[in-house]
């Protein structure tokens, strides 16, 4: 059973300045819900009840979104019979969610951020032996939720339950973009659901990339990643890379590439964030028809996204 997700959220979100001057990027909404909440809901559907936020001191409002709502606001909405708004307010704090906040004092990389969660996991039942998940909230995965799947992370958790394998979510990206991602190569046919990762490189130049299969922000990892990360030397960008910790485990662990259903939006980029908002708004019962009509009729020039 996987009970914990680590959310590295200490990044400053400078690509979204000035929006992120006072608002953490993980609290930017896609339509009406912050990226952070989508991630927590995906983890919740995977059966995970413990969230470890690896936060920065500069983003104190971030954990507030996952803490109980202001009692006066709840009482006011109740008194006015605003049940839908009350449900929306309380949806941010699913019952039984445990939140731990640890501070990453310095921005030393994603691997360092995950390493900051070590003591929080060590203190839990299962300690550092436990398998846990890592999610990057700005990789927003819009996946169908139905009787067959409860989302990307739930499928990765099920893979671990059924086979014992750990996994990283992957998708094909244009060759020219391999230098934005961790890129993997696999043992067998890449289309194979059970293909094991044999090599992984952080942000390779297109010419050096072992494939065009890029890791996106969902990981199911063994607790032994912490010992591996403690030994990792600064890599790409002078940072402690999660990729380099995972590489140290590949020979001894069955770590697989999980191709997920649905669409991943890179909400760390303005284009991906804009696309996510439009895609979800076009599915919102109240917004879909007027937005579609406006997109067709308005005099703005809509350029094709690359
Ligand atoms: C991080 C990881 C990278 C991964 C990517 C997914 O990079 O280091 O391996 O492919 O997330 O979004 P970042 O986007 O933080 O530079």
């Amino acid at each position: 059973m996987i009970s914990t997700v680590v959310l590295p959220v200490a990044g400053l979100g400078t690509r979204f300045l000035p929006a992120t001057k006072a608002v953490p990027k993980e609290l930017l909404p896609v339509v009406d819900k912050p990226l952070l909440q989508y991630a927590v809901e995906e983890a919740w559907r995977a059966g995970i009840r413990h969230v470890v936020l690896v936060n920065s001191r500069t983003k104190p409002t971030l954990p507030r979104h996952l803490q109980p709502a202001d009692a006066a606001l709840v009482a006011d909405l109740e008194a006015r019979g605003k049940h839908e708004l009350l449900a929306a307010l309380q949806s941010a704090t699913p019952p039984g969610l445990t939140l731990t906040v640890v501070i990453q004092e310095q921005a030393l990389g994603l691997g360092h951020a995950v390493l900051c969660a070590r003591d929080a996991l060590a203190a839990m039942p299962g300690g550092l032996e436990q398998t846990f998940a890592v999610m990057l909230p700005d990789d927003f995965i819009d996946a169908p939720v139905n009787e067959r799947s409860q989302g990307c992370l739930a499928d990765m958790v099920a893979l671990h339950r059924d086979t014992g394998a750990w996994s990283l979510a992957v998708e094909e990206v244009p060759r020219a973009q391999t230098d934005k991602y961790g890129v993997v190569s696999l043992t067998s046919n890449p289309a194979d659901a059970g293909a094991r990762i044999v090599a992984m490189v952080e942000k390779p130049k297109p010419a050096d990339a072992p494939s065009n299969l890029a890791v996106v922000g969902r990981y199911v990892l063994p607790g032994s990643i912490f010992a591996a990360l403690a030994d990792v030397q600064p890599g790409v960008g002078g940072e402690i890379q999660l990729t380099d910790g995972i590489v140290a485990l590949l020979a001894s662990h069955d770590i697989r590439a999980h191709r997920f259903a649905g669409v991943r939006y890179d909400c760390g980029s303005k284009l991906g964030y804009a696309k996510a908002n439009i895609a979800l708004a076009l599915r919102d019962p109240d917004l879909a028809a007027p937005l579609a009509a406006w997109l067709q009729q308005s005099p703005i020039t809509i350029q094709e996204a690359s």
Side-chain angles (χ1 to χ4, degrees), residues 139-156:
D139 273 331
F140 171 54
I141 297 184
D142 180 31
V145 173
N146 51 43
E147 62 285 352
R148 276 178 292 116
S149 173
Q150 291 293 306
C152 176
L153 192 66
D155 290 344
M156 294 166 72

Side-chain angles (χ1 to χ4, degrees), residues 110 136 139 180-182 200 202-203 215-217 219 241 243 264:
L110 179 58
L136 310 183
D139 273 331
K180 288 169 58 186
Y181 299 96
M200 185 172 175
E202 181 67 13
K203 302 195 170 74
V215 173
V216 302
Y219 307 76
Q241 295 292 350
T243 292
R264 168 244 177 194

Side-chain angles (χ1 to χ4, degrees), residues 134-176:
V134 176
M135 296 175 84
L136 310 183
D138 54 10
D139 273 331
F140 171 54
I141 297 184
D142 180 31
V145 173
N146 51 43
E147 62 285 352
R148 276 178 292 116
S149 173
Q150 291 293 306
C152 176
L153 192 66
D155 290 344
M156 294 166 72
V157 166
L159 178 73
H160 181 70
R161 184 195 60 217
D162 295 344
T163 66
W166 297 274
S167 59
L168 319 178
V170 298
E171 72 174 359
E172 279 169 18
V173 297
R175 267 263 162 195

Side-chain angles (χ1 to χ4, degrees), residues 171-179 181 206 211-214 306:
E171 72 174 359
E172 279 169 18
V173 297
R175 267 263 162 195
Q177 293 180 15
T178 57
D179 59 358
Y181 299 96
S211 76
N212 68 336
L213 216 46
S306 59

Side-chain angles (χ1 to χ4, degrees), residues 183-196:
V183 177
V184 299
S185 63
L186 307 177
T187 39
S188 46
N189 181 353
D192 242 356
R196 183 167 164 173

Side-chain angles (χ1 to χ4, degrees), residues 37-127:
Q37 189 173 338
Y38 285 105
V40 170
E41 288 179 358
E42 187 183 328
W44 180 267
R45 289 196 308 272
I48 289 173
R49 299 291 177 265
H50 187 184
V51 172
V52 179
L53 284 185
V54 180
N55 198 14
S56 141
R57 287 197 193 281
T58 62
K59 297 163 79 171
T61 54
L62 194 47
R64 262 190 238 160
H65 190 76
L66 302 178
Q67 287 161 347
D70 177 61
L73 178 58
V74 171
D76 179 61
L77 292 175
E78 269 169 358
R80 292 193 291 134
K82 301 279 186 190
H83 301 299
E84 269 184 39
L85 291 180
L86 190 59
L89 179 69
Q90 291 178 330
S91 70
T93 48
L97 189 81
T98 304
L99 177 66
T100 302
V101 182
V102 298
I103 298 294
Q104 184 183 17
E105 296 287 0
Q106 286 174 287
L108 298 180
L110 179 58
H112 177 259
V114 172
L115 193 51
C116 288
R118 177 173 54 185
D119 291 351
L121 268 94
M124 292 170 50

